Structure formats: structure tokens, C-alpha cells
Amino acid sequence: MAEFDTVIRDAVAVTAADVFSSDIGIAGGVVTALGRDLGPARREIDAAGRYVLPGGIDAHCHFDQPMRDSVTLADDFLSGPISAAHGGTTTVVPFACQLQGQSVRAAVEDYHRRAAGKPVIDYAFHLIISDPTEDVLRRELPALIGEGYSSFKIYMTYETLKLNDRQIISVLAVARREGAMVMVHAENSDCITWLTEELERAGRTAPYFHAPSRPQAVEREGTHRAITMSEIVDVPILLVHVSAADAVEQIRWGQGRGLRIFAETCPQYLVLTADHLDAPGFDGAKYVCSPPPRDVESQEAIWRGLRSGVFHVFSSDHAAFRFDHPEGKKRHGTDAPFKKVPNGVPGVETRLPILFSEGVNKGRIDLGTFVALTATNPAKLYGLYPRKGSIAVGGDADLVIWDKDREVVITNDKLHHNCDYTPYESLSVRGWPAVVFSRGEIVVEEGKLLAQPGQGQFLRCDRPAPMRA
Ligand code: URP
Ligand code: ZN
Ligand code: ZN
């Protein structure tokens, strides 16, 4: 009788710590052996000296999140995870967003209904807390953390989501007491409002002016304030979608003081700049996201931060709105002022190839750092490790055989999201996932989807590693 369901032979296995030649034995969806000449298997896959990496974890993506203003996200819990899997991601962590006046539990139940029967890969939820009432703080969050929702995002901006400092401190205190990770969207809301009004008075409302309405100083101040509150409460925080050199400087400052400040960045801050927002006509709207893409100096600061350990997580912040669609970027027409353009860009499928190509293949980061940023660290920081995030005996067999030299020119027609554009159109990348396994089953092979809707399992998250220290 075969000892394994699958053996991947002759792999160059890569973890955050090691690169080693090995067969990978899989039984019951789990890696059960690493070594040479592993015994018989029902299915043998020859990796022939190719890199085998842990499946990516995209710990920041938005699927089927109801929006105000009759705007609709392009991707739901079917198309989003399918697109993710084609790009080498095997776990996604989207958001269950509490609406004001709603209980957090009602939000969680709503998102479970939205996801039911859909994801082709495993998934967990972060919570978004927009209304931290006494009941939410004292009763709901402690219970939900215990049930596997151990991270929440809070916003310093956006009218219907933002919390004031008192509310932020209250949420941080719950996270400290109960053991949760708080992700912070750090931008100073009042400054954005004032700058937006000034730009409007001057008639500067084209998509390009989204960038000067949210300059680096706005993110820098929000970042510093969030770090200060984390220090006061004495709890770790994770700053999401960090875009700019000034914010990197603040994070370095906090980390240098010994504070437990974690940080995430995204592809849009490595390969786009504010110039993209200046595309002809209304095309700049395709790049409207917050914080906005910056400049070459900020891109370089972010690369330095990725190399030197300032950043721990690399996510897509996939928030896809169709361009040519009445519920997408053009919801308010092609003359709409920038403040009416839905914020967000697609990227769940292109996240790993862009970092692999621009980072590993161009010699800016090594393979171990790639794995740490895209799989191991998010697993640890969001309570999914050691089940997810590495290649280890006992861990889920979420694996990707990489074709490290495949040249791909990214075009939207090659992607599997439901969006009608990609901000990375025409970008050439080298390196693309060839075979993607989720718990030992092939979900994508050479661009072909082999998984069934609903094959992905919901994951209950443990306490984040920094909260266990
Ligand atoms: O513009 C962005 N980033 N949209 C998605 C929502 C968020 O703030 O992450
Ligand atoms: Zn955000
Ligand atoms: Zn986001």
C-alpha cells in the first residue's frame, strides 16, 4: 500500500529559514515526510530541481464587501480566491466588516453566508471594527477572538469607518487583554478633508489630485499617532498598506524604541507612482487607492524596508472596482471629482509574481525573505502558524512549484479576477507559479483551475504569535 497520497520529488524546498533538496511526502492533506527517496505514493510529481515554496497567504484582500453609494466590488468569494490561486496564493484573509449600528457577530454571520460554498482555497476573516460600542468591546470581541477571529482592522479615515483616538485606544486595550492583532489604516482624516476642499476650490478634481489630497505627511502623522497609542496601551499593532518613505521612517523609529510595530506593504507601492494617476482622460481613476502610490524615492525606501526587516507582510490589498462599469470607478461619471472615485486596485493574482520578479529575480530580496513576507510572517502574525506558512512535517500541504524563469507580460486577459483592468497592464515579470496545491490537492496546474467551488475550508485563527510571547 502506498505510504503517501502524493510525493513531490526532487524539489528545491524553500522556507523562510532554509533552501534544501528534498522529496515532499503528503498524506491526508498534510506534509508527513521530508527527505530523499521517500516511499511509494499514489501520485508522483517530478519537481526536477524546481523551487517549491509554501503557498502564499494574502492577508489583506476585500471580497464581496458591501459598499455605500451603489458601488460594488468586482470580486466575490468565488472569483477572488480563484484569482488568488492562479497567482500562487493558497490562503486568503479578507474582511468581515461591521457596519455602524450593526453587531460584529451579525457582520461575521453575513460574511459566512457570502462565502458559503465558494472559496477554492482556505480562508479566514479579519474583522473591521467601525462601531466599538461597550457591548462590542466588553462582550462581542472577547467571544469572537476566542472563536477564531483574532485580528481586526481599524480606520483613521473614511467617514463611515473611522474611529477617533479614544475609540482606537479602547480597541487596542481589548486586543491587549484578549490577545488580538490590530491592523491600522493610518491616514489623518481631517487633514484629507481640508486638503480635498482646498483642491476642490481650486478646481483641481481630476483623478491625479487624489495624490496631493493625501500627501505623505497625512500618512506620516497617522502612522506616528498609531505607534504612540500602541506604546501607551503597550500592545503590538500592524500598520497596513504602508506607501511612503516618511511612514517607513516612523515605523523604523517605533521599532528602534523597542515597540512591537509590524508593517505591511503592497505591490502598488513598489511599481506604481502618483504619475499613474495622471493618465489621460479618466484613466487615472484606475490607480486611485489609499494611501496613493508615491514616487521613486518612496519605492526605494520601501525596498530598503523589505530588505532590512522593517516590513513583515506583503499583501495585495485587492479591492477591485471595474473601470468601465456603472457600479465601479465610473459610478459618478467620467468627470467625477477624485473624492467620488472608489478607492482600491486589484492585485490578488499578481502579488506574488511581482514581488518574485522585482524582488527575488532582480536581486533586491532573497528567497527566504520572499517566503517570510508572503507566507510565514502573515501565518504567525494572524494565528495560522504552524498549520500554514511553511513547509514542515505536520503542516498543511499548501505548496507552489515555481517556474522561476517563466517570462510573462501581465495583461488583464490573462488574469482570473472579475475586474476589467489591471493596474499592471504590460508589466513584464519573470517567475510564475506552475502548480499550486491546497492541502495536497492541485488547485491550479499550468494555468488550469482544477479545484471545485467550496473546496476551501474556513480557518479559525489562534492568538497571533506576538500576543503569545
Ligand atoms: O484604497 C484602498 N486601499 N481600498 C481598500 C480599502 C482599504 O483601506 O484597505
Ligand atoms: Zn485601508
Ligand atoms: Zn484594504
Side-chain angles (χ1 to χ4, degrees):
M1 202 181 115
E3 191 181 343
F4 300 105
D5 299 328
T6 303
V7 169
I8 302 175
R9 294 232 176 265
D10 196 18
V12 179
V14 185
T15 69
D18 296 297
V19 180
F20 55 100
S21 299
S22 184
D23 296 344
I24 302 172
I26 301 166
V30 168
V31 175
T32 53
L34 295 169
R36 293 197 188 276
D37 303 322
L38 293 184
R42 274 190 284 283
R43 175 173 57 180
E44 304 260 343
I45 290 170
D46 182 9
R50 289 200 283 178
Y51 288 143
V52 178
L53 271 56
I57 298 176
D58 195 337
H60 188 156
C61 38
H62 303 265
F63 302 140
D64 199 9
Q65 212 176 299
M67 300 279 148
R68 55 199 181 100
D69 213 15
S70 299
V71 164
T72 311
L73 281 172
D75 286 303
D76 65 6
F77 287 91
L78 181 62
S79 62
I82 286 176
S83 184
H86 278 91
T89 290
T90 52
T91 299
V92 284
V93 194
F95 296 89
C97 179
Q98 178 203 22
L99 304 172
Q100 280 176 4
Q102 187 187 34
S103 78
V104 186
R105 182 157 310 269
V108 167
E109 287 168 358
D110 179 28
Y111 281 82
H112 275 292
R113 274 191 298 273
R114 290 169 185 274
K118 291 195 176 124
V120 295
I121 52 174
D122 292 353
Y123 63 105
F125 286 124
H126 305 294
L127 308 174
I128 290 174
I129 307 302
S130 68
D131 197 358
T133 60
E134 274 303 297
D135 191 48
V136 166
L137 296 170
R138 301 231 165 269
R139 194 181 59 80
E140 286 209 290
L141 286 179
L144 286 164
I145 292 165
E147 291 169 36
Y149 307 89
S150 60
S151 48
F152 14 99
K153 182 173 177 190
I154 55 172
Y155 285 81
M156 288 177 151
T157 187
Y158 293 138
E159 230 31 68
T160 55
L161 295 172
K162 71 179 181 191
L163 305 189
N164 62 35
D165 290 353
R166 174 70 203 271
Q167 291 171 314
I168 293 173
I169 291 255
S170 304
V171 171
L172 291 178
V174 173
R176 175 183 157 82
R177 200 172 58 237
E178 307 292 334
M181 178 61 78
V182 180
M183 310 156 75
V184 185
H185 179 130
E187 289 184 297
N188 181 312
S189 190
D190 286 338
C191 291
I192 294 168
T193 303
W194 186 83
L195 285 162
T196 301
E197 285 168 3
E198 287 288 294
L199 288 161
E200 281 176 336
R201 263 194 287 277
R204 300 179 160 194
T205 60
Y208 173 74
F209 295 102
H210 175 71
S213 79
R214 309 171 99 100
Q216 288 205 36
V218 158
E219 186 182 2
R220 182 182 71 217
E221 190 281 331
T223 303
H224 185 86
R225 188 154 37 101
I227 292 170
T228 301
M229 288 188 270
S230 141
E231 178 177 5
I232 289 166
V233 178
D234 186 22
V235 67
I237 56 166
L238 191 146
L239 291 147
V240 291
H241 46 48
V242 174
S243 72
D246 282 11
V248 173
E249 194 178 40
Q250 292 302 310
I251 294 164
R252 241 187 240 287
W253 171 83
Q255 291 169 346
R257 286 169 73 92
L259 304 174
R260 289 166 297 166
I261 307 299
F262 298 94
E264 170 203 80
T265 191
C266 314
Q268 47 273 37
Y269 305 119
L270 295 179
V271 297
L272 302 178
T273 66
D275 289 347
H276 285 86
L277 288 156
D278 207 12
F282 195 62
D283 273 23
K286 292 177 178 171
Y287 309 93
V288 167
C289 61
S290 295
R294 305 292 183 183
D295 51 21
V296 170
E297 288 72 34
S298 278
Q299 290 179 343
E300 284 165 3
I302 290 188
W303 279 117
R304 281 195 297 278
L306 287 167
R307 243 193 329 270
S308 63
V310 172
F311 288 103
H312 308 84
V313 180
F314 188 77
S315 308
S316 68
D317 192 11
H318 180 91
F321 298 96
R322 294 179 195 92
F323 182 63
D324 221 346
H325 192 278
E327 292 178 5
K329 294 280 185 181
K330 293 184 180 169
R331 164 75 183 89
H332 295 281
T334 51
D335 287 328
F338 65 82
K339 78 169 183 200
K340 294 274 190 190
V341 175
N343 282 206
V345 293
V348 75
E349 189 166 343
T350 43
R351 170 183 76 117
L352 295 176
I354 288 174
L355 188 66
F356 195 92
S357 181
E358 292 290 318
V360 177
N361 271 337
K362 292 195 177 166
R364 288 170 164 136
I365 57 169
D366 62 24
L367 264 174
T369 303
F370 177 88
V371 171
L373 288 163
T374 59
T376 316
N377 292 346
K380 289 180 176 174
L381 291 169
Y382 297 125
L384 293 169
Y385 189 84
R387 179 173 174 190
K388 303 289 188 189
S390 192
I391 303 177
V393 171
D396 281 356
D398 291 359
L399 304 164
V400 181
I401 303 179
W402 274 80
D403 188 344
K404 69 178 172 48
D405 294 315
R406 185 180 304 176
E407 308 262 2
V408 176
V409 178
I410 295 174
T411 53
N412 198 52
D413 61 339
K414 293 193 185 104
L415 302 179
H416 300 81
H417 58 196
N418 241 340
C419 197
D420 58 356
Y421 81 97
T422 166
Y424 310 113
E425 188 74 26
S426 302
L427 180 71
S428 293
V429 292
R430 189 156 66 85
W432 201 267
V435 189
V436 182
F437 299 83
S438 165
R439 283 180 281 103
E441 296 302 323
I442 298 179
V443 287
V444 172
E445 185 168 25
E446 304 298 348
K448 196 161 177 295
L449 182 72
L450 301 181
Q452 296 303 315
Q455 203 169 297
Q457 289 180 356
F458 173 67
L459 304 165
R460 291 179 196 281
C461 297
D462 292 332
R463 263 160 207 259
M467 306 304 295
R468 285 186 252 153

